[in-house]
Amino acid sequence: MQNPQERPQAQLSVVGACTVTDCKFNEAHECHAGQIEVRVGQDGAHCATYTPEASTRPRP
Ligand code: SF4
């Protein structure tokens, strides 16, 4: 039985493919972040490492 006082340990895994193409770590649906953090909210799990790619358009 698990101890409820124990903090969950980080698990190593690999991102198989990512469809978030506007993230700066996404290259051809592959994540190049090195490591990511996944958080779970009321709407399910999401990537907390997501970083929007900087806009290449000049500011108005
Ligand atoms: S950091 Fe997250 S959102 Fe960005 S490419 Fe990797 S898995 Fe996708």
Side-chain angles (χ1 to χ4, degrees):
M1 186 174 209
Q2 283 188 327
N3 179 353
Q5 303 293 322
E6 215 170 89
R7 299 186 76 194
Q9 298 294 310
Q11 301 289 315
L12 294 179
S13 187
V14 174
V15 177
C18 180
T19 57
V20 185
T21 55
D22 67 335
C23 176
K24 76 175 193 176
F25 298 113
N26 192 321
E27 292 178 28
H29 297 272
E30 290 184 6
C31 178
H32 292 268
Q35 72 178 47
I36 65 166
E37 183 176 347
V38 176
R39 293 200 182 128
V40 179
Q42 290 184 335
D43 56 344
H46 66 275
C47 178
T49 308
Y50 165 74
T51 305
E53 203 157 14
S55 175
T56 55
R57 287 183 290 171
R59 289 186 173 191

